């Protein structure tokens, strides 16, 4: 066979039967690098982030909120108190208190699933680990106010309540560069003095909750039907050392959200 015929035969073999065995070394290096940075499922196939976290489908995208759904009260001297948002959008809102748990995998969960979570931080609990919450903020979480030292505010003098709220406003501004707009009173207790102090500190709304998830991963409801509804604000209680890790509780909650044909919205877009 002539050299030209031999070359034609080799080309035909490569195109028709896949008998060519050589692989470009640069291509091989690129594939190995991709395998290192991408999580994989069975048989080496790339695994989607939602599957890696135990969900069977991706979260639905949250709609853009309509202006009429916002909880802010025009002309009100005191910030409103909200435990759910009046909206027809099929969204719920995930909120986390204190900042005692600092699981780095929770940061991965928020980043990979693009969860718009709201973190209400208490300085005495979150302060030693503000770097963790800076990473959460970079992943898309918002940082909000939960007082300096977590006292029950109702009944305290105005000066004491203002010191707790404004003090944490200043601390968070110093650490993150901006003052929060939202405030959650510890234990959900407050009075009109709390609202006056919050207004003086630049707070636009006090945020409570309609549903909460305990350390064991169970949902409880303060009022109404025992199921999630559009506009519900859900609080995830801090772990008391015997509960499930924060990321596992969040995944359990996300499964409930999906089962009710809902998704997760950004609370700050509605309040």
């Amino acid at each position: 066979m002539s050299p030209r015929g031999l070359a034609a035969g080799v080309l035909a073999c490569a195109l028709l039967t896949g008998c060519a065995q050589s692989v470009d070394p640069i291509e091989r290096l690129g594939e190995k690098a991709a395998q290192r940075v991408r999580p994989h499922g069975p048989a080496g196939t790339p695994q989607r982030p939602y599957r890696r976290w135990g969900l069977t489908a991706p979260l639905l995208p949250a709609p853009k909120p309509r202006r009429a759904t916002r909880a802010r009260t025009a002309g009100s001297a005191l910030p409103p108190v909200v435990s759910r948002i009046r909206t027809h959008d099929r969204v719920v809102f995930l909120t986390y208190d204190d900042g005692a748990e600092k699981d780095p995998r929770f940061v991965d969960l928020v980043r990979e699933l693009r969860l718009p979570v709201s973190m209400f931080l208490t300085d005495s609990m979150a302060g030693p680990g503000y770097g963790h919450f800076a990473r959460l903020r970079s992943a898309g979480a918002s940082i909000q106010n939960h007082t300096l030292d977590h006292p029950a505010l109702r009944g305290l003098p105005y000066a004491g309540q203002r010191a707790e709220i404004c003090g944490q406003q200043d601390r968070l501004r110093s650490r993150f560069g901006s003052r929060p707009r939202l405030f959650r009173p510890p234990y959900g207790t407050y009075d009109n003095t709390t609202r006056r102090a919050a207004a003086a500190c630049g707070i636009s709304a006090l945020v409570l909750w309609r549903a909460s998830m305990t350390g064991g991963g169970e949902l409880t409801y303060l009022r109404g039907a025992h199921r999630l509804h559009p506009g519900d604000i859900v609080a995830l209680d801090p772990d008391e050392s015997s509960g499930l890790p924060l990321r596992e509780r969040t995944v359990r909650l996300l499964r409930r959200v999906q089962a009710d044909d809902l998704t997760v919205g950004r609370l700050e877009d509605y309040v």
Side-chain angles (χ1 to χ4, degrees):
M1 181 181 292
S2 67
R4 179 177 297 174
L6 178 62
V10 171
L11 178 60
C13 178
L15 293 175
L16 299 177
T17 69
C19 66
Q21 300 297 318
S22 61
V23 178
D24 179 40
I26 301 301
E27 183 179 344
R28 184 184 293 115
L29 288 173
E31 179 60 24
K32 287 183 178 179
Q35 291 175 2
R36 285 195 298 270
V37 300
R38 293 197 306 254
H40 284 72
T45 56
Q47 191 177 35
R48 298 179 184 274
Y50 67 87
R51 291 191 183 277
R52 190 159 83 91
W53 293 104
L55 302 178
T56 58
L59 288 166
L60 296 174
K64 184 176 180 180
R66 295 180 287 274
R67 184 176 299 274
T69 66
R70 294 182 182 273
R72 206 169 301 156
T73 304
S76 174
L78 298 178
V81 181
V82 296
S83 58
R84 65 182 306 272
I85 303 298
R86 293 183 179 181
T87 179
H88 295 293
D89 296 341
R90 296 196 62 80
V91 295
V92 295
F93 308 98
L94 274 56
T95 65
Y96 299 77
D97 288 356
D98 302 344
E101 292 183 67
K102 301 175 182 66
D103 181 359
R105 291 202 63 201
F106 180 69
V107 181
D108 296 335
L109 173 70
V110 170
R111 178 183 296 109
E112 293 181 16
L113 297 184
R114 300 181 179 180
L115 285 179
V117 299
S118 302
M119 314 298 295
F120 288 84
L121 301 184
T122 296
D123 184 69
S124 59
M125 300 182 190
Y130 273 140
H132 170 81
F133 297 100
R135 290 187 288 274
L136 264 173
R137 190 168 181 256
S138 296
S142 78
I143 303 299
Q144 305 298 340
N145 189 330
H146 198 42
T147 71
L148 283 172
D149 298 306
H150 207 270
L153 295 177
R154 185 169 57 198
L156 293 181
Y158 175 81
Q161 295 203 39
R162 177 168 176 163
E164 281 287 340
I165 301 170
C166 288
Q168 181 65 338
Q169 289 286 86
D170 294 341
R171 196 68 55 87
L172 293 175
R173 180 182 181 182
S174 174
R175 185 60 184 84
F176 298 104
S178 61
R179 292 162 65 90
R181 291 192 305 104
L182 306 182
F183 169 66
R184 172 166 287 166
Y187 314 106
T189 64
Y190 68 95
D191 53 22
N192 274 343
T193 301
T194 311
R195 297 175 69 194
R196 289 195 298 113
C201 299
I203 295 295
S204 61
L206 274 64
V207 177
L208 305 183
W209 59 90
R210 192 186 82 86
S212 64
M213 177 168 275
T214 64
E218 298 298 323
L219 268 176
T220 61
Y221 300 87
L222 294 182
R223 64 186 68 85
H226 285 198
R227 59 171 296 177
L228 293 173
H229 292 286
D232 279 349
I233 298 173
V234 185
L236 280 86
D237 293 341
D239 184 17
E240 300 298 339
S241 77
S242 60
L244 296 170
L246 194 61
R247 64 181 184 277
E248 292 187 22
R249 280 178 281 149
T250 300
V251 169
R252 286 194 180 195
L253 178 56
L254 292 176
R255 291 186 187 126
R256 291 289 298 272
V257 168
Q258 290 183 315
D260 290 328
D261 193 30
L262 299 164
T263 191
V264 180
R266 183 175 298 279
L267 178 62
E268 294 73 19
D269 289 343
Y270 289 78
V271 181

